[in-house]
Amino acid sequence: AHSSLAQSPHRLRFWVFWQLALTGNLLLIAATDALSFYLGFSAMSLSAYGLIVHQGGPEPRRAGRLYLQLAVCGEMLLLAGLLLRVHGADRTFDFTGCQAQPIDHLTLILLVLGLGLKAGFWPLHVWLPLAHPAAPAPASAVLSGAMLKAGLLGIWRCLPQDDPALAAWSAALLAVGLFGALYAALLGLCAGRSKAVLAYSSVSQMGWCLMIIALAWSLEGSQAAMLAVLLVFGVHHGL
């Protein structure tokens, strides 16, 4: 970012949004409770809008408008899911307390949709192929390499382990993840712009990650092994 934007007249504005997004990203990673996670998630999501529209022009503004609309919808779904989760966990915001309580189907759907929009799961990925080509290269790198993982981290930390509701949805999510992994890869092969190819590649990789999460839900006692596999896939995609 320092080298590619050295001559940009708006580099100060870029660095402000970059640092805000980084702060939110680090906060949600370090968070041990739902409130801190949501604040970091919101700061990261909203600040990323400034990175997407940085270059100006019709295409970045269109991509940024779609991204912002979906980001706000995702945050509303996430907030509703977290509130229901906190209410079901005897009004404790701590992740440890939330994971110890069973989850209902409505809360599960809200959290998966809210976090899945950020993670870029198919068919919630529509902002990715537009945002990546419009954003500067360093912004595309963090949008894909780091920020997508916030959705995966939220799903893993907000939901309980070995829960019947998760097992009931695992087969459907496994099918969605498999289709998204293969279909997005085919779309990437047909894309004409290199950054659009990378965007579809990210959607495909997130499909594989969703499959890993679904397998962790369906195979009792496999969470530790699946977490290791998920970390390997996450680091691989980030690089």
Side-chain angles (χ1 to χ4, degrees):
H2 176 74
S3 61
S4 63
L5 297 169
Q7 305 301 322
S8 174
H10 305 298
R11 59 183 179 275
L12 178 60
R13 182 182 65 190
F14 176 88
W15 285 114
V16 169
F17 284 110
W18 176 284
Q19 296 291 354
L20 288 174
L22 175 62
T23 301
N25 201 344
L26 294 178
L27 175 59
L28 71 88
I29 293 172
T32 59
D33 62 272
L35 179 59
S36 299
F37 179 87
Y38 179 75
L39 291 176
F41 189 90
S42 298
M44 181 193 70
S45 296
L46 297 178
S47 301
Y49 169 78
L51 301 177
I52 295 173
V53 302
H54 171 76
Q55 294 180 331
E59 183 181 359
R61 285 198 297 269
R62 176 171 172 264
R65 184 165 58 249
L66 176 62
Y67 168 82
L68 190 60
Q69 291 169 348
L70 293 178
V72 171
C73 289
E75 290 178 20
M76 293 172 62
L77 293 169
L78 175 60
L79 179 60
L82 288 177
L83 289 175
L84 290 175
R85 195 80 188 103
V86 169
H87 178 74
D90 297 328
R91 296 170 180 81
T92 177
F93 286 90
D94 190 79
F95 279 140
T96 304
C98 290
Q99 289 181 345
Q101 300 295 326
I103 190 171
D104 61 273
H105 294 285
L106 175 60
T107 304
L108 175 59
I109 293 173
L110 290 173
L111 290 176
V112 170
L113 289 177
L115 295 167
L117 274 167
K118 173 55 63 181
F121 296 148
W122 179 91
L124 308 173
H125 69 286
V126 291
W127 61 273
L128 262 173
L130 293 176
H132 272 252
S140 297
V142 296
L143 281 170
S144 175
M147 294 185 184
L148 293 185
K149 312 306 184 302
L152 297 176
L153 179 64
I155 291 175
W156 195 271
R157 299 186 71 183
C158 294
L159 302 179
Q161 298 181 0
D162 297 327
D163 190 276
L166 302 184
W169 283 90
S170 61
L173 290 181
L174 184 64
V176 170
L178 178 60
F179 181 82
L182 300 178
Y183 179 66
L186 293 176
L187 290 179
L189 292 175
C190 300
R193 303 175 64 179
S194 59
K195 292 175 73 175
V197 174
L198 290 174
Y200 284 117
S201 173
S202 295
V203 177
S204 177
Q205 293 290 320
M206 292 303 101
W208 294 113
C209 292
L210 181 59
M211 291 172 62
I212 296 171
I213 293 175
L215 289 173
W217 292 356
S218 62
L219 302 176
E220 187 175 353
S222 66
Q223 281 75 19
M226 290 300 173
L227 177 59
V229 177
L230 187 63
L231 288 173
V232 170
F233 267 77
V235 172
H236 165 264
H237 174 248
L239 294 175

